[in-house]
Amino acid sequence: MSYGKVLSTVQVDGAATVPSPVVPISALSTSSDPTLVLVQPSALINLLPQLKNYANKPIVFQTSSLDSQLPGDHSQTLLALRSLATILYSTNEQQAIANNAIAAQVAKSTGKAVVHFGEFEQKVFGQPSSSSSAVQNGSNGVNGKAAESTPTQAALEAAYAAIPSASPYSVFGETKAPTTVIVALSGNATAALSASLPAKTKLVSLNLYRPLPAQLIRSFVTKSTKAVVVLEQSYSGNGKWTPLFLDVVGAFAESEDEAPEKFLSGTVGFISDAKKAVKDINAAIAASTSPFTLGVLPAASAASSSTPVARPKHEATYTNLLNEVFGSRLWVANAPTSLLPPSNISSTSPEYALGHVLGSEKKREELRAAVRAVLALPADEASIDEATAKSLAAWLADDRTPSLGVAASSAILASDSTSPAINKLRDLVKAEGAEFVRKSSWIIGSEVWAHDLGASGLHHALATGADVNLLLIDTTPYVLPSDEDAPAPGAPRRKDAGLYAMNYGNAYVASVAVYGDFAQTLRAISEADSFKGPSVVIAYLPQGDVDSTRALEVLKNTKKAIEVGAWPLFRWDPSAEKRGKEVFELDSEKIKADLRTFLDRQNHLTELSNRLPKFGEALESGEGTKLVALQKRKAREAFDALAGALEGPPLLVLFASDGGNAEKLAKKFAGRARTRGVAARTLAFDDLPLDDLKLETNVAFFTSVAGQGEFPQNGRVFWKDIQAGKIAAGDLANVNYSVFAMGDSHYWPRKEDAHFYNKAGKDLQKKLVELGAVEAVEIGLGDDQDPDGPQTAYKIWEPAMWKFLGVDNFESTEPELEPITNEHIKIASNYLRGTIAEGLADKSTGALAESDGQLTKFHGIYQQDDRDIREERKAAGLEPAYSFMVRMRLPAGVCTPAQWLAVDEISDRRGNHTFKLTTRQTFQFHGIVKHNLKPAMQEINKMLLDTVAACGDVNRTVMCSANPSLGALHAKVFKFADDLSEQLKPQTSAYAEIWLDKKQIAGDAVKDFEPLYGEYYLPRKFKIAIAVPPTNDTDVFCHDLGYIAILDEKKELLGFNVTVGGGMGVTHSMKSTYPRLANVVGFIGPEQGVEVAKAVLLTQRDNGNRANRKNARVKYTVDRMGIDNFMAEVEQRLGWKLQPARPYTFTSNVDQFGWQTGHDGKRHFTVFIENGRVADEPEKLYKTGMQAIARAHKGVFRLTANQHLIIADIPPEEESTIQSILEQYKLASVDFSALRLSSAACVAMPTCGLAMAESERYLPDLIGKVETVMEEAGLRHNSITMRMTGCPNGCARPWVAEIAFVGKAPGSYLMMLGGGYHGQRLSKPYREAVNEEDIIKILTPMIKQYALEKNDGEHFGDFVIRKGIISATTEGKHFYDGEFPGQEAH
């Protein structure tokens, strides 16, 4: 594992020297490889203020304890860096080499900082040799018996598996029933004791200090264990208990299990006599001496091995911590030794200490004035050199940075200038004690001060605004009100010093607990020191006035107080707002987690329900609850309307919208109106009782168009009633109105159709004038073709509305609410759970919440309704006929006959008695109503299949060539497809919880950890296809990622050419969207395929456009970055480069129908199932016939990417049986025209919510008409790929067809020509809008010309390009170049 950059605070070979470990984020490695930073232990404390920024960066901090002031001392390292997720410890160079590799791999895979420290020479280590081993004895596990694996633990497990020479810990001595367990983070202890352990003693030597799960620690101990001894090399400790000792004791504080009788802490120095060391340990256990010393500590001032370490008071924990962080800068202003007050004033009085601090600050102000005086002198009078002047100026600009103070002080003391100003400055420093380096001033007190905030000095400090820090240590343990130790009801109540300070508004306030969250305590005292003004740090230290308190008791009490909220951990920094940061930071992890869960699952979703239509209905418990809620809403709206009318002009905003754009703009307009004091409310056209319209004062209408200038669905009843005369002329005389219409002028390119552009809005405008309404602002016509789309006209229309309403001079200071997007929904979903389970239980509606509709896609489910009866149900006052489409995950489209029968049965029992073979080689059910949804999912699971990731922003079903002649090769490629599907599958357990009641029939329950996707998943869907030349039946170039199998002369698999960047989805008239074919980027071996897929997926995850879903697919990422840059990042993640692509040839992308023989002699029959719909129709008994075949067939079924079916692996002796069944149900014939056999259509109407026109139900009829033309031209057996979709999302991949139609409105299609027959070239738009008459009129002469003038073997797509009928599309970005040549021709 290599590093992208190596930095060092001292000169080391192979590293760039830096002055400080505080490296700018911009200076870190820009590659995917981590940055290595070599740091001296003494410099680590400088990292504290920036540690939070580094924690989530791939950095390895490496430090050697041999370079500590006390050689071998771990104190400085663990003080500064113990809050980081991963800390590795090495006792020698051999371990250091292995742990260096572990650290680099973990930092790279997690993207988080790692610490590597120990006793080794500081240098840049190479790779571990395969023969080296750091495992001394026994265990080599990371998690032990840990209940669950975190991302860091998972990364460590992978790293240890890849680097066998590394080990997280080693075990020596008794392992089954030890009475004494020694846990050591000490090379000295391990070296001396491992070979000298007495009986019944177990030694666990740690090489991995973080993560150290509590359950793992507890696993070291058995029921027979009486004592646990923790040995460390922390010589300058900042408290009674050392870091590892607190971790070990804390592990038992979290557990209800009985803890060992004794926990002892030992400090290990140099051990020359192992036997004596063992005796000292036993003596300490017998006498319960803790802490104790083992060996000789490396300092003259250290206690000898026979003298126990001095035990400081608990309060000293905080003062020692301050000393470690601030060193010589620390000044405890009320320490008895620092003050010599008059005899009648206590030296520790907070008031006196504050006065002393203010006096010191006055002295510093004199120093600043003296420096300003020096710098103000002319150069000839100052008599100081330029360097000294710069040092003084830098200090004056920032007198809080210690290094600038040291530089200024040194410069002035070294100056030989005799200038009076210089002399005065020098005297201030020498004689009067003024200091350039700012002291960290602290006043330390106890909870007693909280009884009288005036006497504590707190009030005075806040009132003066002094730059001083107050540390108030609270030693009163948390007790329940019912406990014996609870204060009496009448006892004096302490004031909340923190709240008091926060109310002042000028102070930094923090609540900390060193034994609850050490890292938060460090961060708080560091931030307090940096804050310009008073700081109050309230510190919890239960029973701190009782020095004999056991560590376990302190940890348990601290943990309890924090978790129940009695002592919340927080930081409040009023200066943070100016820096764009949060003023209040809640640091209590459990409270924060509970709060986050509540907010994510409740408040955030409530916000969604208020801002997205109909969101909340599925969460109601029944009709009664809905009625009450409706009554409350009506009352609230009435009140708001009344209150608003008193404050500003009333405004009703009405919208009619199918796609949602007009609705979003209307609601945005209403929201802006409300911020200006306008009493605005929004409704759909059809939701307004028509009689109420005449009662309105100001009305803004927003409408898009549907079909041939018709009103959208939710505006048609309104419009019909208007046309029917339900409002008489003159009824709207008191109504001021304006219309904003939204359309696309290119939708109707023919002159005779131009009046359809924005027809709905224009018709409404005309009718309102007839009814006597007063036009407040001229109609706005939003056009998709304008430079900014509809916004071009809207930016003119909206200000005119504000002027009319009299609010044009208002300037809002409130930012607009960020619109709720799929990204918000995903992150708030708790790994795809949302409120799906609650929605399924709601019997009051057939729908799920709108946000859950986005989440169910990840579960393979789309919410739909029957659009054929939508109008009738609305007229009857009913909600739409909601149902669900369920798509299965079926890698490579392979299933067994038993699974086919189960699918058939589910479609009858739960669906609409049909099912679909899709263009992604899987099954799709339609018409499953909500109460049948969960049973259907469970039945799918019983057949050992699932629907996970069949949809959603993840990798979807992996496609694979279904060519029956491939034989054994197909088995290999199918296995590869299956591996890809499994490796890239989301890992959330939400699917098993919601649909299977946590009981998975097939496979093990997965964990809520998404190593590939993270909480946000991908920006958009991700599709993979595998093609085996010469057949490109999967349209491999149409996918985000593709694999083209490369075979040798014996038809054996050599590997794959890789393709990247394909995609089909487009938005009509939005030229920033376009189809794209993938680039061939190189060749790989079969074993490298999954690794490449992950690298491409991760590159898209981290670089895809999450701000605009219309430009979020891989194709746009590739074009934005450039294919070379995209692949460079992929190869960086891989750590190796792809080989040059190998030659290959495609000859077709259609299926081969009828009987074929594989290399193994088995027979295969490809059944033509038109557009993949498995249903019984007259003369087409697909459903019944396939049931009979499934009962008789002993092989497998292969679904093709063209929506047909291969009955595969039929033994020759069973061919006659299958043939007779095919003939019985009239499925044996494949004597269809080549055009029909080469066609494909998506589902579209009536179930697909995105469909703009018919597709599956219409294409067979259209082909029948075109077939007549083909047969007249003698082309019945000439294959031309013709595809149709109901919308531009391209499910049937029309953008590569030779002839294609994409729905724009009922009966109207975008027509395209010129696609490649092999799927190797995109088509191009030929006519913008055609109906059936136009299609036949266009194709008839074109097909006849093709019959007469085509070259031998020339395909239709190639012909129309050669003849200049259409130009070739060379790449996706040029899709629109030369579009619509058929507009003029026809």
Side-chain angles (χ1 to χ4, degrees):
M1 179 65 64
S2 60
Y3 289 100
K5 188 174 285 189
V6 181
L7 309 173
S8 177
T9 57
V10 294
Q11 191 168 359
V12 173
D13 290 343
T17 305
V18 292
S20 166
V22 186
V23 181
I25 299 298
S26 59
L28 300 177
S29 170
T30 56
S31 72
S32 61
D33 291 325
T35 299
L36 174 64
V37 181
L38 281 66
V39 192
Q40 293 292 93
S42 58
L44 289 171
I45 202 70
N46 298 324
L47 289 168
L48 270 179
Q50 299 296 324
L51 203 56
K52 190 174 181 181
N53 296 331
Y54 292 133
N56 293 312
K57 299 295 180 183
I59 308 172
V60 174
F61 291 110
Q62 180 177 300
T63 185
S64 172
S65 60
L66 298 179
D67 296 330
S68 297
Q69 292 175 341
L70 303 176
D73 184 13
H74 299 168
S75 303
Q76 292 173 313
T77 301
L78 298 184
L79 169 71
L81 304 179
R82 64 188 280 193
S83 63
L84 295 180
T86 307
I87 302 179
L88 298 157
Y89 171 61
S90 300
T91 62
N92 53 52
E93 184 168 321
Q94 183 181 346
Q95 283 185 349
I97 293 171
N99 278 341
N100 169 68
I102 295 287
Q105 186 165 325
V106 171
K108 180 174 183 177
S109 60
T110 63
K112 295 182 183 297
V114 176
V115 178
H116 177 207
F117 80 104
E119 287 76 64
F120 48 78
E121 180 186 351
Q122 185 73 298
K123 62 181 179 180
V124 180
F125 293 106
Q127 296 296 306
S129 64
S130 58
S131 60
S132 65
S133 176
V135 181
Q136 299 172 49
N137 181 24
S139 304
N140 184 6
V142 181
N143 296 324
K145 301 176 182 178
E148 59 184 46
S149 178
T150 65
T152 298
Q153 288 170 330
L156 280 163
E157 287 174 354
Y160 281 119
I163 305 169
S165 59
S167 169
Y169 60 87
S170 301
V171 178
F172 304 87
E174 174 67 38
T175 58
K176 293 183 179 180
T179 56
T180 300
V181 173
I182 302 172
V183 181
L185 189 71
S186 166
N188 293 348
T190 301
L193 300 177
S194 58
S196 305
L197 292 173
K200 298 295 182 179
T201 301
K202 174 182 181 179
L203 170 64
V204 180
S205 177
L206 298 179
N207 303 124
L208 176 65
Y209 173 54
R210 287 280 191 276
L212 194 60
Q215 196 161 347
L216 174 62
I217 294 173
R218 293 195 294 270
S219 72
F220 297 151
V221 172
T222 66
K223 291 182 180 179
S224 62
T225 303
K226 303 299 181 184
V228 176
V229 179
V230 180
L231 300 179
E232 299 174 73
Q233 294 177 201
S234 293
Y235 304 145
S236 53
N238 47 57
K240 176 178 178 179
W241 299 310
T242 51
L244 179 60
F245 180 74
L246 289 173
D247 290 333
V248 172
V249 175
F252 291 91
E254 296 177 10
S255 174
E256 297 298 325
D257 298 336
E258 185 176 350
E261 296 174 6
K262 296 181 180 181
F263 289 91
L264 281 73
S265 173
T267 301
V268 183
F270 174 71
I271 300 175
S272 58
D273 187 339
K275 291 183 179 180
K276 183 178 184 304
V278 171
K279 288 181 180 179
D280 288 345
I281 292 173
N282 290 334
I285 294 173
S288 298
T289 303
S290 179
F292 67 94
T293 300
L294 204 62
V296 180
L297 300 187
S301 60
S304 68
S305 59
S306 60
T307 305
V309 175
R311 303 196 301 175
K313 293 279 189 182
H314 280 65
E315 290 89 333
T317 295
Y318 285 104
T319 53
N320 287 349
L321 192 58
L322 292 175
N323 188 56
E324 285 289 338
V325 174
F326 302 117
S328 60
R329 283 206 308 119
L330 176 65
W331 177 34
V332 179
N334 63 333
T337 56
S338 68
L339 298 172
L340 293 174
S343 59
N344 61 335
I345 301 178
S346 169
S347 67
T348 58
S349 163
E351 299 100 318
Y352 189 89
L354 178 60
H356 203 53
V357 171
L358 291 174
S360 174
E361 185 56 40
K362 183 179 179 181
K363 187 69 68 176
R364 280 180 63 79
E365 183 53 45
E366 291 178 14
L367 186 65
R368 281 189 283 266
V371 169
R372 282 192 287 268
V374 168
L375 293 175
L377 291 173
D380 57 338
E381 293 183 31
S383 300
I384 57 172
D385 57 34
E386 184 179 354
T388 300
K390 284 185 176 180
S391 296
L392 293 175
W395 176 84
L396 198 59
D398 178 11
D399 67 353
R400 301 178 71 85
T401 301
S403 59
L404 296 180
V406 171
S409 179
S410 300
I412 203 66
L413 292 176
S415 173
D416 56 2
S417 172
T418 58
S419 162
I422 296 292
N423 287 336
K424 180 180 179 180
L425 180 56
R426 194 181 291 114
D427 289 343
L428 276 172
V429 176
K430 284 185 175 180
E432 300 185 37
E435 293 183 277
F436 277 94
V437 178
R438 183 182 67 91
K439 290 290 187 183
S440 182
S441 307
W442 291 82
I443 300 175
I444 300 177
S446 70
E447 74 270 20
V448 176
W449 290 4
H451 289 288
D452 186 349
L453 296 179
S456 70
L458 177 59
H459 171 78
H460 298 84
L462 296 174
T464 61
D467 191 2
V468 64
N469 308 302
L470 278 77
L471 176 66
L472 304 184
I473 301 174
D474 192 332
T475 61
T476 304
Y478 165 74
V479 291
L480 293 170
S482 58
D483 289 349
E484 292 181 6
D485 297 332
R493 182 178 178 275
R494 283 182 293 163
K495 314 300 187 295
D496 190 330
L499 184 60
Y500 181 81
M502 290 163 73
N503 284 334
Y504 246 89
N506 69 336
Y508 174 92
V509 182
S511 174
V512 304
V514 70
Y515 293 128
D517 189 335
F518 184 83
Q520 186 258 359
T521 304
L522 283 178
R523 193 156 56 244
I525 62 175
S526 178
E527 290 175 355
D529 175 67
S530 301
F531 183 77
K532 293 183 179 180
S535 298
V536 181
V537 179
I538 309 164
Y540 189 55
L541 196 66
Q543 297 177 318
D545 52 348
V546 182
D547 196 42
S548 61
T549 307
R550 292 183 67 209
L552 190 58
E553 293 174 23
V554 173
L555 289 174
K556 281 187 174 182
N557 191 288
T558 304
K559 180 175 182 289
K560 180 171 65 172
I562 292 171
E563 289 190 354
V564 302
W567 192 272
L569 305 181
F570 66 84
R571 288 167 293 126
W572 192 80
D573 183 354
S575 68
E577 191 172 11
K578 295 180 181 178
R579 305 192 300 272
K581 305 284 187 177
E582 291 292 337
V583 172
F584 182 82
E585 292 281 353
L586 179 64
D587 296 318
S588 295
E589 288 301 327
K590 188 174 189 303
I591 298 175
K592 189 161 60 175
D594 292 344
L595 182 61
R596 186 186 298 115
T597 299
F598 173 76
L599 291 175
D600 283 353
R601 297 183 187 177
Q602 302 297 329
N603 292 8
H604 188 64
L605 297 180
T606 301
E607 181 184 356
L608 282 172
S609 73
N610 291 334
R611 292 162 63 185
L612 295 177
K614 300 181 183 177
F615 175 85
E617 291 183 8
L619 301 182
E620 304 290 352
S621 60
E623 292 296 338
T625 309
K626 285 184 66 180
L627 182 60
V628 172
L630 182 62
Q631 290 171 338
K632 288 182 178 179
R633 183 172 64 83
K634 290 292 185 184
R636 182 75 246 177
E637 287 178 354
F639 177 81
D640 288 344
L642 176 62
L646 296 175
E647 297 174 4
L651 174 66
L652 173 63
V653 181
L654 296 175
F655 60 85
S657 175
D658 271 343
N661 290 330
E663 178 182 350
K664 289 176 184 176
L665 188 58
K667 290 184 175 180
K668 182 177 182 180
F669 172 70
R672 288 180 172 180
R674 283 190 285 271
T675 64
R676 293 169 178 265
V678 177
R681 67 191 200 279
T682 56
L683 287 172
F685 279 21
D686 289 353
D687 289 341
L688 177 74
L690 198 59
D691 288 341
D692 289 359
L693 183 60
K694 63 186 75 171
L695 305 176
E696 298 296 329
T697 305
N698 304 306
V699 185
F701 295 89
F702 287 77
T703 181
S704 55
V705 292
Q708 294 186 315
E710 301 160 10
F711 275 82
Q713 291 278 353
N714 56 358
R716 292 181 182 178
V717 174
F718 173 89
W719 180 240
K720 286 178 182 177
D721 289 346
I722 289 277
Q723 288 182 306
K726 292 187 178 181
I727 290 185
D731 281 355
L732 302 184
N734 295 322
V735 178
N736 303 306
Y737 80 93
S738 184
V739 176
F740 190 82
M742 299 172 66
D744 183 351
S745 57
H746 276 201
Y747 226 86
W748 311 104
R750 297 188 302 188
K751 290 181 179 180
E752 59 268 31
D753 293 335
H755 67 286
F756 291 133
Y757 164 63
N758 267 327
K759 184 176 184 295
K762 294 174 183 176
D763 288 348
L764 176 61
Q765 158 81 5
K766 183 178 178 182
K767 195 67 178 177
L768 291 170
V769 172
E770 293 175 5
L771 297 174
V774 179
E775 186 178 46
V777 173
E778 184 179 351
I779 184 173
L781 298 176
D783 188 352
D784 287 346
Q785 299 305 316
D786 284 342
D788 291 330
Q791 285 292 320
T792 302
Y794 181 75
K795 289 173 184 176
I796 299 171
W797 181 86
E798 187 192 79
M801 284 296 295
W802 301 148
K803 187 172 183 180
F804 170 76
L805 293 168
V807 293
D808 51 319
N809 293 323
F810 175 86
E811 289 189 12
S812 174
T813 58
E814 296 183 14
E816 289 190 28
L817 290 176
E818 181 184 359
I820 299 299
T821 66
N822 284 59
E823 296 302 308
H824 296 102
I825 292 171
K826 284 184 283 187
I827 193 62
S829 71
N830 187 19
Y831 290 99
L832 309 181
R833 286 170 177 79
T835 55
I836 297 172
E838 293 84 347
L840 291 171
D842 180 15
K843 303 296 191 294
S844 66
T845 174
L848 292 174
E850 185 161 347
S851 67
D852 288 336
Q854 296 299 323
L855 299 177
T856 54
K857 294 177 183 179
F858 292 81
H859 300 256
I861 300 166
Y862 277 80
Q863 180 172 295
Q864 302 176 334
D865 75 284
D866 191 337
R867 295 172 64 176
D868 286 347
I869 58 174
R870 189 183 284 176
E871 293 271 1
E872 290 84 347
R873 289 183 66 85
K874 187 163 190 173
L878 301 172
E879 71 174 10
Y882 290 115
S883 64
F884 296 85
M885 179 272 281
V886 176
R887 184 182 297 154
M888 294 172 60
R889 183 173 66 97
L890 194 68
V894 175
C895 75
T896 66
Q899 289 169 332
W900 178 282
L901 290 172
V903 168
D904 186 280
E905 186 176 352
I906 292 171
S907 72
D908 284 338
R909 184 187 300 132
R910 310 295 179 188
N912 64 356
H913 303 282
T914 73
F915 57 95
K916 175 93 170 173
L917 311 184
T918 77
T919 54
R920 293 206 63 75
Q921 291 182 292
T922 189
F923 297 110
Q924 195 163 285
F925 301 102
H926 291 273
I928 299 180
V929 295
K930 190 166 78 171
H931 73 266
N932 274 329
L933 195 52
K934 189 168 182 177
M937 300 290 278
Q938 292 177 342
E939 288 161 9
I940 290 170
N941 187 65
K942 287 179 182 177
M943 64 166 122
L944 306 183
L945 294 174
D946 59 47
T947 67
V948 175
C951 322
D953 299 341
V954 290
N955 175 60
R956 299 191 176 185
T957 291
V958 179
M959 298 170 62
C960 172
S961 284
N963 190 339
S965 64
L966 294 176
L969 180 60
H970 184 273
K972 292 181 181 178
V973 180
F974 163 70
K975 177 63 167 58
F976 175 52
D978 190 56
D979 288 346
L980 281 172
S981 183
E982 285 298 319
Q983 291 286 329
L984 305 183
K985 185 175 71 172
Q987 298 301 301
T988 174
S989 60
Y991 182 90
E993 288 178 17
I994 295 169
W995 306 111
L996 310 178
D997 298 323
K998 296 186 179 179
K999 296 177 182 177
Q1000 284 190 301
I1001 304 301
D1004 297 322
V1006 291
K1007 298 175 182 177
D1008 270 346
F1009 165 51
E1010 294 289 9
L1012 284 175
Y1013 296 109
E1015 291 181 295
Y1016 286 93
Y1017 294 85
L1018 297 182
R1020 280 298 300 274
K1021 56 191 171 186
F1022 188 86
K1023 297 181 176 181
I1024 299 178
I1026 306 165
V1028 183
T1031 303
N1032 185 22
D1033 52 343
T1034 58
D1035 279 326
V1036 70
F1037 302 111
C1038 294
H1039 297 78
D1040 301 88
L1041 175 63
Y1043 297 87
I1044 301 172
I1046 304 299
L1047 314 181
D1048 61 15
E1049 299 80 5
K1050 298 180 180 179
K1051 302 297 182 182
E1052 292 292 329
L1053 183 65
L1054 289 176
F1056 299 97
N1057 280 350
V1058 178
T1059 68
V1060 171
M1064 293 286 95
V1066 173
T1067 299
H1068 281 314
S1069 303
M1070 186 178 289
K1071 292 188 177 181
S1072 61
T1073 67
Y1074 47 83
R1076 189 185 191 280
L1077 295 186
N1079 299 77
V1080 180
V1081 295
F1083 173 83
I1084 60 171
E1087 72 286 350
Q1088 297 172 312
V1090 172
E1091 190 178 359
V1092 168
K1094 288 182 178 179
V1096 173
L1097 185 146
L1098 291 173
T1099 302
Q1100 164 63 0
R1101 182 197 68 184
D1102 295 343
N1103 293 281
N1105 187 346
R1106 293 184 183 270
N1108 182 0
R1109 286 182 67 79
K1110 293 185 183 297
N1111 289 108
R1113 291 286 299 275
V1114 171
K1115 58 181 175 179
Y1116 301 115
T1117 307
V1118 166
D1119 278 347
R1120 188 179 70 252
M1121 294 177 64
I1123 187 63
D1124 292 338
N1125 291 333
F1126 186 94
M1127 287 308 300
E1129 182 164 335
V1130 170
E1131 290 175 338
Q1132 273 189 342
R1133 294 176 186 270
L1134 292 170
W1136 46 268
K1137 292 185 177 294
L1138 278 64
Q1139 302 175 41
R1142 307 289 176 88
Y1144 63 92
T1145 301
F1146 285 131
T1147 59
S1148 171
N1149 70 349
V1150 300
D1151 294 334
Q1152 307 301 314
F1153 296 92
W1155 286 103
Q1156 296 181 65
T1157 303
H1159 291 293
D1160 56 1
K1162 290 185 177 179
R1163 299 282 280 161
H1164 314 273
F1165 187 88
T1166 304
V1167 185
F1168 172 76
I1169 300 180
E1170 192 158 27
N1171 299 319
R1173 178 63 61 185
V1174 181
D1176 282 343
E1177 301 173 9
E1179 303 301 318
K1180 295 179 182 178
L1181 299 178
Y1182 291 126
K1183 199 165 188 294
T1184 304
M1186 287 310 304
Q1187 286 175 4
I1189 290 174
R1191 292 189 183 98
H1193 184 37
K1194 300 297 189 297
V1196 297
F1197 291 118
R1198 298 181 196 165
L1199 283 60
T1200 78
N1202 292 307
Q1203 301 175 297
H1204 305 297
L1205 180 70
I1206 300 174
I1207 309 169
D1209 298 335
I1210 304 169
E1213 62 273 15
E1214 293 183 7
E1215 177 182 342
S1216 58
T1217 302
I1218 300 299
Q1219 177 67 25
S1220 64
I1221 298 173
L1222 290 168
E1223 291 172 355
Q1224 178 184 350
Y1225 293 98
K1226 300 182 180 179
L1227 302 179
S1229 174
V1230 291
D1231 188 24
F1232 300 98
S1233 72
L1235 177 67
R1236 192 173 293 272
L1237 292 174
S1238 305
S1239 67
C1242 72
V1243 175
M1245 301 291 190
T1247 53
C1248 179
L1250 301 175
M1252 302 175 181
E1254 293 283 0
S1255 180
E1256 178 191 316
R1257 297 193 297 192
Y1258 171 56
L1259 183 61
D1261 292 338
L1262 177 63
I1263 286 178
K1265 294 177 172 62
V1266 178
E1267 274 178 335
T1268 302
V1269 178
M1270 294 280 288
E1271 291 187 7
E1272 289 176 355
L1275 299 176
R1276 174 179 171 79
H1277 301 295
N1278 286 73
S1279 175
I1280 298 176
T1281 55
M1282 179 184 286
R1283 295 174 181 173
M1284 176 178 284
T1285 58
C1287 78
N1289 285 316
C1291 291
R1293 302 187 292 279
W1295 310 103
V1296 290
E1298 294 178 287
I1299 303 173
F1301 305 98
V1302 176
K1304 298 192 72 175
S1308 179
Y1309 298 86
L1310 167 70
M1311 181 178 180
M1312 294 177 295
L1313 297 174
Y1317 182 73
H1318 311 144
Q1320 84 285 7
R1321 182 179 60 242
L1322 290 170
S1323 57
K1324 187 175 289 295
Y1326 181 72
R1327 282 281 296 274
E1328 189 154 23
V1330 295
N1331 56 27
E1332 183 178 291
E1333 182 182 351
D1334 297 328
I1335 293 170
I1336 301 304
K1337 184 178 179 181
I1338 293 168
L1339 286 181
T1340 297
M1342 206 176 288
I1343 289 171
K1344 289 181 177 179
Q1345 183 184 8
Y1346 172 60
L1348 295 172
E1349 301 178 18
K1350 69 181 179 69
N1351 295 328
D1352 289 343
E1354 186 176 27
H1355 293 288
F1356 183 79
D1358 301 328
F1359 173 80
V1360 295
I1361 291 172
R1362 180 171 65 84
K1363 285 295 183 179
I1365 297 171
I1366 195 89
S1367 60
T1369 301
T1370 55
E1371 61 176 307
K1373 289 186 289 188
H1374 302 312
F1375 176 69
Y1376 299 104
D1377 295 352
E1379 64 177 344
F1380 306 134
Q1383 295 298 138
E1384 300 301 327
H1386 301 278

